[in-house]
Amino acid sequence: MTMEPNKMEEVFRKKLNEREIQPSEAAWDRLDAMLSVTENKRPKRNFRWLYVAASMVLFSGVGLLLMHQERSNQTLPMNSNDNVVVEGKAIKEAEAVSEPVNGDGSPIFEKHNNAETLAEHQSNTSTPVRKKQKVANSTLQEVRIDKVPVLQETPPVILENTHQEPEKMLAVNEAPKEKPKVKVNANSLLSSVEGELNMEFRETTLDKIKKNFKTVKTAVANRNYE
Amino acid sequence: MKVIHLHQDEKEIIQLAVENNRHAQHKIYAQFAPKMLSVCRQYIKDVHQAEDIMITAFMKVFSNLKHFEHKGSFEGWIRRIMVNESISFLRVQKQVKFTEDENFFEERFNNIESQFSVEDIQFLIDSLPDGYRMVFNLYAIEGYKHQEIAEMLGISEGTSKSQLSHARKMLQDQINKQKNYDYGTE
């Protein structure tokens, strides 16, 4: 049995492998056109996948963001309660600090008198005194410094001035009392505003998603039409 | 040195063709198309049909070019694609069926002179039925083993062997006829 390629087949093989048949001119043009078609198809497919992938990433990202925010919202009320408690304490402390000052009143007088006497001893415009007064209160300082020469001549005026001062000082001391109350309001306002902001953010992001979805939709539709 | 340079050149052109550089693709086409049309013509009698198959096979060459690993010869790789495309055309479009037939018989070839022209050889091969021609081409011209042919055509190894023996017998008869005819005329 001769299953091996025989001599005749050797000749066949040799001659056939040497042969070349020139294809028609149109053959390359056809191949060229076919290649162009597939080239145009491929990026389209890729773009479609990109759209799908991009929208998926967008949705998951927005979802994660909203979930994260919801979590932080759940934790926020807890913090605000703590704040309220702390603020209450702060108010009490502020009151405790301010009350003795209101009750006595005299230590402040003394301090100011000392300051004024110091000013008397030193020259009219001594910087260290000014600094001390600046630390105490800004509006009162300048008035007092202006009145320092007057005090030297007429001591009773000092009393009148000092009588006015405690009232002012009281007003200044009362101010911190009001501040915590305002602060409480501000915090509650802040949290409510934050909530509103969250709602606004959600609405805007939803709008954005809708817009993106529409653009993707139209793009895909256009592609399909093509 | 020159061989290495040429090889590098081929690699470069292949890389460019992978990147859809039409100039590189045309270069590859121009280099191999005449040989590959000859390969397709071995299987398909009609030249125009063979050219169609060659074009579709070239499409496959370019779309699969990124998978070519530069291990074997580039021509061999392209040729394989041409052969596969020709076979699948005959099997799918022309519905060539193989009858399971395990009988093969011994045939003895008379020594033939190499006076046969390629046209004569092609004429002889064309005279074979599609099934015989496929097996004969794959075995005798391409050098595939019966096991490989059986896998390619979805037939048994025995059928591949019997198809080959039938093809050889037919070819021998044709050659004898030709010889007798030639002697008769002389």
Side-chain angles (χ1 to χ4, degrees):
Chain A
M1 197 178 82
T2 56
M3 265 298 157
E4 292 304 304
N6 52 47
K7 206 192 167 193
M8 179 195 80
E9 284 163 17
E10 287 279 313
V11 172
F12 276 29
R13 185 204 301 242
K14 198 171 164 269
K15 291 219 166 174
L16 280 172
N17 284 345
E18 279 170 4
R19 178 180 66 173
E20 288 190 352
I21 303 171
Q22 208 60 42
S24 67
E25 289 285 315
W28 168 251
D29 295 335
R30 280 167 63 202
L31 183 58
D32 186 26
M34 281 165 87
L35 285 166
S36 306
V37 167
T38 46
E39 260 174 52
N40 291 334
K41 265 185 191 174
R42 266 178 208 162
K44 275 181 189 173
R45 269 185 214 151
N46 286 345
F47 273 124
R48 203 172 289 179
W49 274 109
L50 267 175
Y51 278 126
V52 171
S55 55
M56 275 172 84
V57 164
L58 198 103
F59 275 116
S60 58
V62 166
L64 278 169
L65 210 84
L66 288 176
M67 266 175 72
H68 185 74
Q69 278 191 336
E70 218 137 293
R71 262 181 217 167
S72 61
N73 279 348
Q74 280 171 355
T75 52
L76 254 177
M78 296 274 285
N79 288 337
S80 63
N81 284 336
D82 290 346
N83 283 344
V84 168
V85 173
V86 172
E87 277 158 20
K89 281 177 187 173
I91 296 157
K92 279 173 193 171
E93 280 168 7
E95 278 171 349
V97 171
S98 57
E99 269 167 15
V101 180
N102 291 335
D104 299 339
S106 50
I108 300 165
F109 275 119
E110 283 166 9
K111 275 180 187 172
H112 279 280
N113 285 335
N114 289 339
E116 277 151 21
T117 47
L118 272 165
E120 280 174 62
H121 287 298
Q122 286 165 355
S123 60
N124 289 344
T125 54
S126 57
T127 45
V129 178
R130 267 194 184 175
K131 273 180 186 171
K132 276 179 189 174
Q133 282 171 336
K134 266 182 190 171
V135 173
N137 219 306
S138 57
T139 49
L140 288 168
Q141 287 164 20
E142 284 162 33
V143 177
R144 258 178 269 141
I145 292 155
D146 290 338
K147 282 171 182 175
V148 163
V150 184
L151 285 170
Q152 283 173 334
E153 286 167 16
T154 54
V157 182
I158 305 162
L159 281 167
E160 280 173 31
N161 281 337
T162 47
H163 274 299
Q164 283 174 352
E165 275 172 348
E167 282 164 21
K168 281 178 185 172
M169 286 303 291
L170 276 169
V172 170
N173 282 333
E174 274 165 19
K177 266 191 192 173
E178 285 170 25
K179 268 182 187 170
K181 281 177 192 169
V182 176
K183 263 186 187 172
V184 173
N185 291 336
N187 253 331
S188 58
L189 272 169
L190 263 170
S191 56
S192 63
V193 166
E194 268 181 293
E196 278 170 35
L197 275 172
N198 284 334
M199 286 303 290
E200 269 178 51
F201 178 73
R202 263 181 232 180
E203 278 167 9
T204 50
T205 42
L206 276 170
D207 283 343
K208 274 180 195 169
I209 291 161
K210 273 179 196 167
K211 269 183 194 172
N212 285 341
F213 180 70
K214 270 181 190 172
T215 51
V216 168
K217 216 176 156 185
T218 48
V220 169
N222 286 338
R223 220 148 283 281
N224 287 341
Y225 274 118
E226 279 174 32
Chain B
M1 281 302 280
K2 207 180 177 187
V3 174
I4 291 163
H5 181 72
L6 274 171
H7 185 67
Q8 274 182 337
D9 230 38
E10 190 182 83
K11 242 183 167 174
E12 227 168 79
I13 287 166
I14 289 167
Q15 190 49 47
L16 283 169
V18 167
E19 289 157 16
N20 274 326
N21 180 313
R22 193 54 47 83
H23 187 69
Q25 284 170 335
H26 183 253
K27 219 168 176 180
I28 291 168
Y29 169 84
Q31 191 184 340
F32 296 107
K35 264 190 182 170
M36 295 311 145
L37 184 54
S38 166
V39 171
C40 294
R41 177 65 186 82
Q42 276 172 226
Y43 296 83
I44 299 148
K45 277 188 245 179
D46 185 84
V47 187
H48 299 290
Q49 220 155 39
E51 197 178 88
D52 285 351
I53 301 309
M54 182 199 69
I55 289 167
T56 20
F58 261 114
M59 280 301 294
K60 288 189 177 172
V61 165
F62 289 130
S63 61
N64 290 293
L65 206 54
K66 53 184 176 290
H67 303 303
F68 178 61
E69 288 170 326
H70 302 275
K71 280 176 183 167
S73 87
F74 186 43
E75 190 183 325
W77 184 77
I78 296 175
R79 196 188 173 104
R80 248 183 127 86
I81 293 170
M82 295 292 157
V83 169
N84 281 329
E85 195 58 38
S86 303
I87 286 167
S88 73
F89 164 76
L90 289 173
R91 290 187 64 206
V92 175
Q93 303 255 24
K94 297 200 88 184
Q95 302 272 309
V96 174
K97 292 275 189 294
F98 294 91
T99 42
E100 287 293 323
D101 171 14
E102 304 276 325
N103 304 316
F104 45 89
F105 35 87
E106 209 169 308
E107 77 283 337
R108 205 149 272 288
F109 276 90
N110 300 326
N111 280 345
I112 63 156
E113 303 78 45
S114 52
Q115 72 211 10
F116 274 112
S117 71
V118 183
E119 284 74 28
D120 293 335
I121 293 163
Q122 187 62 64
F123 182 80
L124 283 169
I125 291 171
D126 284 348
S127 69
L128 294 171
D130 287 329
Y132 290 0
R133 190 166 62 246
M134 271 194 265
V135 175
F136 180 80
N137 270 327
L138 289 170
Y139 186 86
I141 313 300
E142 306 298 335
Y144 285 105
K145 304 270 183 295
H146 280 297
Q147 198 194 327
E148 291 171 307
I149 295 164
E151 270 176 40
M152 285 167 89
L153 300 179
I155 55 173
S156 71
E157 227 179 292
T159 305
S160 174
K161 282 177 184 172
S162 83
Q163 295 275 318
L164 177 71
S165 75
H166 282 299
R168 279 174 166 172
K169 176 88 167 55
M170 273 188 95
L171 285 172
Q172 191 61 62
D173 289 348
Q174 284 280 328
I175 290 162
N176 290 340
K177 244 193 239 171
Q178 192 87 24
K179 272 188 176 169
N180 290 337
Y181 180 75
D182 286 346
Y183 285 131
T185 52
E186 268 172 5

